[in-house]
């Protein structure tokens, strides 16, 4: 509790006069010179609210006291009022440079001293109160920030879950298990991570990898718009039927376009690219747009390899599973579409990881 | 002795909130103040810098107690000492006289129980 006033003056009568006028409101401490003053201040740092300081004193003078107070940053928490017979403007200016709160000339008016001491005490109490408040509010803000951060994290996870659900719904309609979605996501992730390391020119970051592999869940969402008699037809599709089947890419893009506000722009863009372009081919003979090479967004290129690989190594209604060796060879040979050489290099690099994942998911 | 020759009563009354008792409490302590004895001793020893500090302090206390004659006698001494020069004997004697007079006046006020602020 800062409720003490230290009176520093070499003349006892002066100290006694000041004590007389202040003792009703404050606990009074006294020092007869600068050296004694510094000792008292050091021992009572937490309790002294105001120092009434004379300038010209034996041993250490008032300036030396101010020097130490300033150096130790004690002036932040206690107010110093100079009470001096030195009344030149230079003296006053020099004291204010040290950071004193007020300058009172001798002979002092007792009422005035009392009032000025009250003023600085109130000012410092108010200042300290404000500082406490700021600390408090900073803490509250910090907690709220943490909470927001946590909620944003949860929202993001929810978003990913909902996307998985969307993708899974489509797969079920396709009479396939939801596992296809998980595997395509897994293969995409492995491939995208390798791409990030091997080919920095694609400027993929960790967050891109995460976004692409999450959005891979949506690659076939357009199939929801394909009639059952075509989607589930066991035999070979006619050309017209196949054209309708192919439209799942553009339909997927349309569906995603119609969804607004559910995800941020970048996520929407990546999802759209994957839906629309995951059947494009490196040689430009894919659909729906016949894009060539790196005209095909990298996200869609990655998903197309993942999708084809998964189709090969798992059993479908219309075919049995190929062995992993065969699947690897068929993709490398371009029997299941053409892919960029860079992509094939990455695919080769992560062959083991692909095979491990394929085994794990069976 | 005519008080107003030695004490600026108006000034004292104002600064001591017209509290006669309060002012006298400190006035009566003035004779016990060691400063003047120190000052005269330092002047005898010609310790100019130390003498200045004490003179300055005494200027402050005499101003606080509105001891105008003594305060005025201190001023030239303090100014000369500040310039690190020894004051002349005349100034010193004038100061000694002024000091003696004030001590005498205070004794009178005390003995007669005079009221200072009307």
């Amino acid at each position: 509790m800062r409720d003490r006033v230290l009176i520093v003056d070499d003349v006892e009568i002066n100290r006694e006069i000041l004590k007389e006028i202040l003792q009703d409101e404050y606990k009074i401490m006294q020092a007869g010179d600068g050296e004694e003053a510094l000792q008292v201040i050091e021992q009572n740092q937490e309790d002294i609210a105001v120092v009434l300081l004379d300038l010209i004193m034996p041993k250490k003078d008032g300036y030396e006291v101010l020097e130490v107070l300033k150096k130790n940053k004690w002036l932040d928490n206690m107010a110093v009022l100079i009470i001096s017979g030195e009344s030149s403007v230079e003296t006053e200016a020099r004291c204010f440079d040290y950071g004193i709160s007020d300058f009172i000339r001798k002979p002092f008016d007792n009422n005035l001293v009392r009032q000025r001491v009250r003023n600085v005490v109130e000012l410092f109490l108010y200042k300290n109160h404000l500082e406490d408040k700021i600390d408090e509010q900073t803490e509250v803000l910090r907690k709220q920030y943490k909470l927001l951060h946590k909620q944003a994290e949860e929202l993001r996870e929810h978003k990913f879950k909902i996307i998985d659900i969307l993708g899974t719904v489509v797969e079920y309609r396709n009479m396939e298990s939801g596992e296809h979605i998980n595997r395509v996501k897994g293969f995409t992730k492995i491939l995208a991570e390798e791409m990030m390391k091997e080919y920095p020119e694609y400027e993929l970051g960790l967050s891109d990898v995460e976004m692409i592999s999450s959005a891979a869940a949506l690659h076939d969402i357009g199939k929801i718009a394909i009639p059952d008699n075509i989607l589930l037809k066991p035999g070979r599709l006619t050309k017209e039927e196949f054209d309708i089947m192919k439209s799942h890419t553009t339909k997927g893009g349309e569906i995603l376009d119609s969804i607004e506000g559910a995800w941020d722009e970048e996520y929407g863009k990546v999802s759209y690219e994957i839906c629309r372009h995951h059947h494009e081919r490196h040689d430009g003979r894919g659909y729906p747009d016949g894009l060539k090479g790196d005209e095909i967004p990298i996200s869609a290129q990655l998903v197309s390899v993942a999708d084809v690989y998964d189709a090969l190594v798992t059993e479908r209604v219309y075919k049995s599973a190929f062995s992993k060796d065969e699947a690897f060879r068929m993709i490398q040979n371009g029997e299941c579409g053409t892919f960029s050489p860079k992509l094939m290099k990455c695919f080769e690099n992560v062959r083991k990881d692909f095979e491990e994942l394929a085994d794990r998911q069976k | 002795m005519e008080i107003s020759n030695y004490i600026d009563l108006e000034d004292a009354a104002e600064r001591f909130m017209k509290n006669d008792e309060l002012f006298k409490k400190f006035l009566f302590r003035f004779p016990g103040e060691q400063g003047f004895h120190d000052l005269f001793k330092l002047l005898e020893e010609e310790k100019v810098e130390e003498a200045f500090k004490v003179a300055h302090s005494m200027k402050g206390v005499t101003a606080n107690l509105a001891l105008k004659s003594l305060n005025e006698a201190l001023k030239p001494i303090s100014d000369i000492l500040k310039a690190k020069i020894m004051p002349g004997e005349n100034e010193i004697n004038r100061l000694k006289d002024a000091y003696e007079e004030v001590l005498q006046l205070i004794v009178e006020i005390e003995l007669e129980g005079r009221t200072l602020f009307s």
Side-chain angles (χ1 to χ4, degrees), chain B:
Chain B
M1 289 174 88
E2 178 56 51
I3 296 176
S4 59
N5 286 340
Y6 308 96
I7 301 177
D8 185 339
L9 286 175
E10 217 174 293
D11 178 43
E14 193 178 318
R15 284 187 296 100
F16 282 84
M17 302 159 282
K18 294 200 169 136
N19 186 334
D20 199 73
E21 287 306 309
L22 185 65
F23 176 63
K24 279 195 281 191
K25 176 177 166 183
F26 293 110
L27 185 66
F28 295 160
R29 289 181 63 162
F30 179 74
E33 170 56 48
Q34 186 63 27
F36 276 91
H37 304 284
D38 293 346
L39 177 59
F40 294 133
K41 189 159 173 276
L42 290 166
L43 284 171
E44 251 167 58
E45 293 165 1
E46 301 196 1
K47 290 183 176 163
V48 177
E49 279 177 48
E50 284 172 64
F52 165 68
K53 283 192 180 178
V54 181
H56 189 272
S57 297
M58 290 305 107
K59 222 172 73 181
V61 73
T62 52
N64 272 339
L65 293 173
L67 300 171
K68 65 176 181 182
S69 58
L70 189 51
N71 187 263
E72 276 160 23
L74 261 170
K75 264 181 198 158
I77 301 239
S78 169
D79 289 348
I80 293 168
L81 287 169
K82 192 175 189 180
K84 297 185 181 169
I85 297 168
M86 262 304 287
E89 216 164 304
N90 284 346
E91 278 101 1
I92 296 176
N93 286 333
R94 204 172 302 144
L95 179 66
K96 281 183 177 166
D97 292 344
Y99 180 59
E100 291 305 325
E101 282 164 14
V102 166
L103 289 186
Q104 212 181 319
L105 176 78
I106 292 172
V107 172
E108 255 186 55
I109 294 170
E110 209 168 355
L111 286 177
E112 293 169 16
R114 287 205 225 169
T115 302
L116 300 178
F117 305 154
S118 49

Side-chain angles (χ1 to χ4, degrees), chain A residues 245-257:
Chain A
M245 189 64 184
K246 286 199 294 195
S247 75
H248 82 274
T249 52
T250 50
K251 290 256 164 53
E254 283 164 25
I255 291 169
L256 292 178
D257 262 352

